[in-house]
Amino acid sequence: MFLLIAAAVTVCYVGVCWWRPFRRCRRCDGTGRRRSLMLRARRACRRCDGTGEHLRPGRIALNYLRELHDKGTPR
């Protein structure tokens, strides 16, 4: 039963990574801007490069596996 639940959760997460590959940046809360320590100025978030979102870890893994597959197949 546990393996069935784990497999279902894994399939659902892969589906989410395929359907919505980006998630909101936790550091800037999705705004793309953060307060700096000096003068309380607002600057672009370094973690997401000011976009407010970044790739999910599962999508990074899927992209890596796709690259491995593409490099291994001769064309």
Side-chain angles (χ1 to χ4, degrees):
M1 187 66 162
F2 175 74
L3 291 176
L4 186 62
I5 292 172
V9 168
T10 303
V11 167
C12 288
Y13 183 69
V14 168
V16 167
C17 288
W18 178 77
W19 186 257
R20 297 194 58 179
F22 292 98
R23 69 174 183 163
R24 197 176 57 172
C25 178
R26 282 189 268 164
R27 181 170 287 168
C28 66
D29 211 22
T31 62
R33 310 219 29 101
R34 275 186 55 100
R35 286 194 185 266
S36 69
L37 295 175
M38 299 286 211
L39 303 172
R40 300 203 182 260
R42 308 263 311 161
R43 302 195 193 269
C45 177
R46 282 194 268 170
R47 183 173 186 181
C48 64
D49 292 327
T51 62
E53 54 189 23
H54 57 89
L55 280 175
R56 295 178 187 272
R59 185 58 183 223
I60 293 170
L62 288 173
N63 289 348
Y64 176 74
L65 291 174
R66 185 176 23 200
E67 275 186 41
L68 279 180
H69 179 266
D70 290 346
K71 287 181 183 177
T73 57
R75 292 185 181 192

